[in-house]
């Protein structure tokens, strides 16, 4: 798995490549918490286009990011979910908890805190 | 750290699409052989039900499949890899892909339900405590035990204990799950709930599942394939439909619930009572 960050004016996009699993998700968690807590990024967007599979621990790290963003009143969104990722989020009853977009453009142009994909 | 997916290795025709392949498996305790050459396969994503009379070696077979007993002969292939013939660390890696819920439930009584579920994650992964807490709640939610993480096992009913044990078996997102009599001793409604949970796990996560059960209704509901163990060998195997059609006397006796005939004729009762040369049942 690879993880890198792109800074935009009011948001940061976290690009993840590869499977997110028990063994590497601490790195994802660290990146998300760092952006939200230390760098005080107003809106963190996770690009999952290149993630084929995410396990429960990976999902848990995203949940941590979401929780922290709520505490800090920042935004947190996901986009580019693969079929499997979508299924995993559905099974854990989290698909509707996250703000989910189809692509980068939508995720960036959505009004932070607005209805977005999280209906 | 890179993930370590099981490679789709294909050695001598043992494809990774076959989750489990057991060849001529023999297992003994001391000098007493319990399994005398067992053969079967489980395709990935399917559910195998193992049936058979009490003491015929079902739990022994499961324990051998997860590496807790060692075969005296034969092979066990897991996801295309020779499990029984592996070195320690390779075996440990493969074992992390397997979850087991034991016949006795076996939660640690001195730990809360949440700590029980967290245990494999604490022992085998680099996850932070806050992540583990969330995984624990996700798993308890999946087995219908949301909100029970701070209960002690003694405060749970039998069915809840079983489900907590299943949550623990699910903690590491296993690809293969083993259940030893998940519904034994539970009321029919809770047992049916467990069947549904097993079906859901299979459908949703495409987990390969091996279940030992005495409950025929449950067996026929959840199985893609079944095997009937008898006297340490596979007496019959096939789809539920094939077993229903099977006319073999042992199969019929088992499925139609015919009681065992008197054993006394087969063994020397006096010898047994006096402890002289105890007869070996095979
Ligand atoms: N640790 C052990 N040491 C010695 N013998 C054992 C051990 N475990 C099981 N056995 C013996 O192996 C045989 C098979 O036991 P096993 O527990 O596998 O049966 P089972 O089919 O699971 O029975 P049940 O349906 O009652 O659970 C039994 O005769 C038992 O006495
Ligand atoms: Mg048993």
């Amino acid at each position: 798995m690879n993880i890198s960050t792109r800074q935009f004016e009011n948001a940061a996009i976290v690009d993840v490549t590869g499977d997110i699993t028990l063994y590497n998700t601490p790195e994802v968690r660290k990146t998300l918490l760092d952006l939200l807590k230390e760098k005080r990024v107003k809106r963190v967007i996770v690009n999952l286009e290149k993630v084929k599979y995410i396990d429960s621990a990976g999902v848990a790290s995203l949940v941590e990011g979401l929780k922290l963003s709520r505490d800090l009143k920042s935004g947190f969104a996901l986009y580019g979910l693969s079929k499997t990722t979508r299924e995993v989020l559905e099974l854990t009853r989290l698909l509707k908890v996250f703000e989910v977009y189809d692509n980068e453009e939508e995720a960036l142009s959505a009004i932070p805190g607005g209805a977005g994909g999280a209906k | 750290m890179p993930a370590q997916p099981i490679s789709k290795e294909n050695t001598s025709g043992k494809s990774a699409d076959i989750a489990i392949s057991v060849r001529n498996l023999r297992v003994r305790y001391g000098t007493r052989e319990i399994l005398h050459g067992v053969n079967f396969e489980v395709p990935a994503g399917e559910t195998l039900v193992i049936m058979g009379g009490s003491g015929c070696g079902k739990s022994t077979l499961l324990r051998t499949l997860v590496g807790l007993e060692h075969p005296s002969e034969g092979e066990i292939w897991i996801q295309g890899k020779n499990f029984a013939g592996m070195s320690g660390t390779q075996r440990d890696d493969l074992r992390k892909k397997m979850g087991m819920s034991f016949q006795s439930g076996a939660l640690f009584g001195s730990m809360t339900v949440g700590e029980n579920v967290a245990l494999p994650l604490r022992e085998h992964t680099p996850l932070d405590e806050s992540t583990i807490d969330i995984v624990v709640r996700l798993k308890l939610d999946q087995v219908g035990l949301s909100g029970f993480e701070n209960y002690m096992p003694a405060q749970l009913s039998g069915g809840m204990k079983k489900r907590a044990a299943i949550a623990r078996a699910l903690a590491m997102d296993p690809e293969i799950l083993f259940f030893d009599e998940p519904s034994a001793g539970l009321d029919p409604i809770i047992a049916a709930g467990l069947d549904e949970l097993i079906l859901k796990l299979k459908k949703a996560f495409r987990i390969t599942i091996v279940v030992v059960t005495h409950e025929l209704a449950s067996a026929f509901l959840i199985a893609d394939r079944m095997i009937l163990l008898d006297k340490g060998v596979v007496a019959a195997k096939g789809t539920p439909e094939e077993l229903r059609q099977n006319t073999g006397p042992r199969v019929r006796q088992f499925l139609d619930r015919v009681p065992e005939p008197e054993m006394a004729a087969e063994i020397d009762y006096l010898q047994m009572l006096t402890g002289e040369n105890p007869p070996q049942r095979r």
Side-chain angles (χ1 to χ4, degrees):
Chain A
M1 188 215 51
N2 252 307
I3 187 161
S4 57
T5 306
R6 284 180 286 148
Q7 290 281 352
F8 292 77
E9 202 183 325
N10 277 321
I13 292 188
V14 178
D15 299 299
V16 188
T17 309
D19 295 351
I20 307 179
T21 71
L22 287 167
Y23 303 103
N24 61 30
T25 200
E27 213 182 320
V28 176
R29 171 183 182 270
K30 197 167 152 283
T31 305
L32 297 179
L33 300 196
D34 183 59
L35 285 170
L36 289 161
K37 209 161 32 182
E38 309 303 327
K39 304 218 167 66
R40 291 287 170 161
V41 172
K42 290 221 189 67
R43 188 167 158 78
V44 171
I45 301 168
V46 187
N47 169 11
L48 295 169
E49 270 171 355
K50 298 216 170 74
V51 173
K52 280 208 285 295
Y53 175 73
I54 179 166
D55 70 10
S56 307
V59 169
S61 296
L62 297 180
V63 170
E64 278 185 86
L66 177 64
K67 166 78 167 63
L68 183 62
S69 75
R70 295 227 170 134
D71 292 347
L72 298 170
K73 305 211 172 358
S74 340
F76 190 87
L78 314 174
Y79 76 85
L81 276 56
S82 72
K83 189 166 167 285
T84 324
T85 303
R86 192 169 279 276
E87 275 172 9
V88 171
L89 289 181
E90 242 161 39
L91 278 164
T92 45
R93 304 194 287 129
L94 286 166
L95 194 56
K96 294 196 170 77
V97 175
F98 284 104
E99 211 177 302
V100 178
Y101 299 95
D102 287 341
N103 54 49
E104 181 172 323
E105 207 189 347
E106 278 182 28
L108 277 173
S109 60
I111 303 126
K119 273 160 273 176
Chain B
M1 209 187 311
Q4 292 170 343
I6 298 288
S7 67
K8 300 257 184 282
E9 207 168 273
N10 195 333
T11 320
S12 52
K14 285 138 184 141
S15 143
D17 296 337
I18 300 294
I20 305 170
S21 174
V22 172
R23 308 279 163 100
N24 187 35
L25 185 72
R26 289 172 178 268
V27 180
R28 58 172 58 134
Y29 294 114
T31 56
R32 183 164 166 237
E33 194 175 78
I34 307 295
L35 300 175
H36 316 293
V38 166
N39 291 282
F40 63 88
E41 282 188 344
V42 191
E46 291 202 355
T47 299
L48 173 80
V49 168
I50 300 172
M51 298 181 298
S54 193
C56 73
K58 303 180 297 298
S59 295
T60 300
L61 176 56
L62 275 203
R63 285 204 303 271
T64 311
L65 292 178
V66 297
L68 296 174
E69 307 287 351
H70 299 282
S72 52
E73 244 181 77
E75 294 174 359
I76 298 169
W77 291 74
I78 305 277
Q79 295 182 329
K81 297 188 164 187
N82 187 348
F83 183 57
M86 272 179 180
S87 71
T89 44
Q90 281 179 308
R91 253 169 101 85
D92 290 347
D93 281 345
L94 204 45
R95 267 172 85 165
K96 288 178 196 158
K97 305 260 175 189
M98 307 187 212
M100 172 147 185
S101 128
F102 294 91
Q103 186 163 9
S104 49
L107 294 171
F108 292 101
S110 59
M111 296 181 187
T112 65
V113 169
E115 286 165 346
N116 266 283
V117 179
L119 193 63
L121 297 166
R122 292 204 172 117
E123 282 189 348
H124 301 298
T125 76
L127 293 177
D128 299 275
E129 276 302 309
S130 56
T131 312
I132 291 179
D133 284 348
I134 295 172
V135 176
V136 165
R137 294 197 191 100
L138 282 172
K139 297 301 164 183
L140 287 175
D141 181 68
Q142 268 161 24
V143 300
L145 285 181
S146 274
F148 286 94
E149 53 267 34
N150 293 323
Y151 279 60
M152 300 304 284
Q155 297 171 297
L156 301 184
S157 74
M160 290 159 90
K161 277 192 197 114
K162 292 266 183 183
R163 282 184 284 155
I166 294 172
R168 186 177 62 192
L170 288 171
M172 305 260 293
D173 284 349
E175 290 169 21
I176 308 180
L177 255 183
F178 298 87
F179 290 109
D180 201 349
E181 301 197 27
S183 52
L186 302 179
D187 81 43
I189 292 169
I190 290 171
L194 280 181
D195 289 346
E196 249 160 49
L197 176 63
I198 291 172
L199 287 170
K200 177 178 115 180
L201 292 173
K202 169 186 144 178
K203 190 160 161 264
F205 299 103
R206 294 179 207 97
I207 304 179
T208 305
I209 299 174
V210 179
V211 189
V212 168
T213 183
H214 285 291
E215 312 293 327
L216 288 183
S218 160
F220 279 95
L221 182 71
I222 61 182
D224 295 303
R225 289 155 195 256
M226 306 173 126
I227 63 178
L228 178 65
L229 273 190
D230 186 35
K231 301 193 174 79
V233 296
V234 177
K237 61 180 150 191
T239 62
E241 199 42 45
E242 283 164 354
L243 260 84
R244 269 198 201 95
Q245 310 285 331
N246 193 310
T247 52
R250 282 307 276 180
V251 179
R252 293 288 24 118
Q253 187 192 3
F254 190 82
L255 296 183
D256 303 338
R257 295 284 193 230
V258 179
E260 202 58 52
E262 279 293 329
M263 296 300 293
E266 284 180 34
I267 58 177
D268 192 321
Y269 192 43
L270 181 62
Q271 249 184 19
M272 189 194 76
L273 287 178
T274 53
E276 177 193 322
N277 193 16
Q280 292 273 321
R281 277 228 250 152
R282 294 198 37 146

